[in-house]
Amino acid sequence: MRLLDRYLLRELWVPLAYCLTGFLLFWVLFDLLDDLDRFRDLHLGVAGAARYYWLRLPELLATVGPVALLLACLYSLANHARHQEITAIRAAGVGLWRVALPYLASGAALGAGLFLINEFLAPEASLRAEEMLAASSGRAGAEGRGRWRRNLTFLNEADRRLWNIGLYDRQTGRMWAVMFDWIDPEGARRRVAAAEGVYTNGVWVFHDVKELFYEPGPPPQWVRSETNRLAMPELTETPESIESEIMFADSASLREAVGARMSLRQILNYRRFHPRLKPQAYARLMTQFHGRIAEPWTCVIVALAAIPFAVGGGRRNVFVGVAAAVFLVFGYFVLTR
């Protein structure tokens, strides 16, 4: 790495760290004012509130990361222009795009990090945060955005299988009072009712099972059977695909849509089980799909938006870049929401 690159990156990363910290504190304080009454009713305390926002940190980073990068780029570039450093660098024969390379590389690196956070950390972290609030309220088994779901119903259209689950543990994939109807590849209709089901080694295993077969005949007849334990490797549903069903159902509600951030894997899982979605549901699903793809590129876009501030010559106040960032950040939030 050239000395120039190290210098530009150091001058960018220091304000970026300050901006990330400042925006996170601002966001937490703003959210805390809104949720203060709820935390007080739950007797959460300072330690509980701190743990709640620690669990939500991946989700918050995905929100404030591009904004912090934009402000850091504008500040550092305005500071370089104020001391005529950009002019001196270009006078030494270094092109503007070569000067911009560290900023674009930082945007790409931050975007890749946010993509990994959105895909692997944010969904699980948000679930654990809501689970903590549900446990504090004594509603750990209640239906909501926490760990437990009651009366969960969903349809696997691809395999023509309808599920009804009395109680489902989103963390472990364990289910109780489960029943599902389906038509197997041979054309026979089956109904399976079990007291408990667990997903282990890639296979669903049910306990205290009652099965009802409808064989079209001739003559057509119903066949009943019971068993203490039944492993069904033919089932294509997994805890991850069931989580996709839950997240998509949450996104249909305005109250839940803010927290229902589906990952690309969850979206693809849902699409696999629902090949014939209604236009409105398809539009909502694909909006989330393209949003997940577009979000990491936001960091590169804000770096490109900040680079033109370094083109102009002349001495300028560093706070001009900060003031410009305020308007750009406001416009960013308006357009993305």
Side-chain angles (χ1 to χ4, degrees), residues 6 10 57 72 115 119 173 189 237 251 267 293 297 314:
R6 292 199 297 269
R10 184 177 69 248
L57 185 62
F115 175 79
E119 192 69 14
R189 181 178 176 183
E237 293 83 355
S251 69
I267 293 173
I293 295 176
W297 291 99

Side-chain angles (χ1 to χ4, degrees), residues 120-144:
F120 299 103
L121 295 181
E124 179 68 18
S126 298
L127 173 62
R128 292 187 178 275
E130 294 298 331
E131 173 191 338
M132 190 192 76
L133 291 183
S136 300
S137 65
R139 297 180 296 104
E143 182 178 0

Side-chain angles (χ1 to χ4, degrees), residues 41-102:
D41 295 339
L42 297 177
H43 305 287
L44 205 59
V46 176
R51 182 170 178 267
Y52 172 76
Y53 284 110
W54 173 257
L55 290 173
R56 290 192 59 196
L57 185 62
E59 176 187 346
L60 298 178
L61 280 174
T63 302
V64 306
V67 179
L69 179 63
L70 175 62
L71 181 57
C73 285
L74 288 170
Y75 176 85
S76 60
L77 285 170
N79 196 36
H80 289 316
R82 177 170 176 260
H83 294 93
Q84 301 291 349
E85 292 177 340
I86 300 296
T87 302
I89 293 172
R90 297 184 65 188
V94 180
L96 181 61
W97 285 109
R98 182 62 185 83
V99 176
L101 185 61

Side-chain angles (χ1 to χ4, degrees), residues 84-272:
Q84 301 291 349
E85 292 177 340
I86 300 296
T87 302
I89 293 172
R90 297 184 65 188
V94 180
L96 181 61
W97 285 109
R98 182 62 185 83
V99 176
L101 185 61
Y103 298 94
L104 297 177
S106 298
L110 183 59
L114 293 183
F115 175 79
L116 295 176
I117 288 175
N118 278 332
E119 192 69 14
F120 299 103
L121 295 181
E124 179 68 18
S126 298
L127 173 62
R128 292 187 178 275
E130 294 298 331
E131 173 191 338
M132 190 192 76
L133 291 183
S136 300
S137 65
R139 297 180 296 104
E143 182 178 0
R145 277 174 49 199
R147 172 178 176 177
W148 302 91
R149 282 297 171 106
R150 290 189 181 275
N151 303 320
L152 177 62
T153 301
F154 65 91
L155 173 65
N156 179 350
E157 297 179 14
D159 296 331
R160 296 184 292 180
R161 193 156 39 240
L162 177 64
W163 288 73
N164 291 277
I165 304 173
L167 181 63
Y168 180 70
D169 185 350
R170 298 172 67 181
Q171 182 172 324
T172 63
R174 207 176 190 93
M175 56 180 67
W176 292 265
V178 55
M179 182 176 67
F180 54 89
D181 290 87
W182 65 307
I183 301 175
D184 63 19
E186 287 74 24
R189 181 178 176 183
R190 299 176 64 183
R191 173 174 294 176
V192 177
E196 183 181 356
V198 60
Y199 192 76
T200 176
N201 296 324
V203 177
W204 282 108
V205 178
F206 299 98
H207 301 276
D208 297 331
V209 182
K210 296 181 180 180
E211 279 192 279
L212 191 63
F213 297 86
Y214 177 77
E215 297 181 353
Q221 59 181 339
W222 287 95
V223 179
R224 300 175 184 271
S225 67
E226 296 185 14
T227 181
N228 292 329
R229 184 180 184 275
L230 177 64
M232 302 189 69
E234 63 269 31
L235 297 180
T236 57
E237 293 83 355
T238 64
E240 187 177 22
S241 61
I242 295 176
E243 182 66 21
S244 303
E245 299 284 343
I246 295 173
M247 295 291 288
F248 185 75
D250 286 347
S251 69
S253 167
L254 286 177
R255 183 177 65 86
E256 303 284 0
V258 175
R261 297 172 58 87
M262 298 178 68
S263 66
L264 288 176
R265 291 179 302 162
Q266 292 172 338
I267 293 173
L268 293 175
N269 276 331
Y270 189 89
R271 189 74 181 93
R272 180 164 56 91

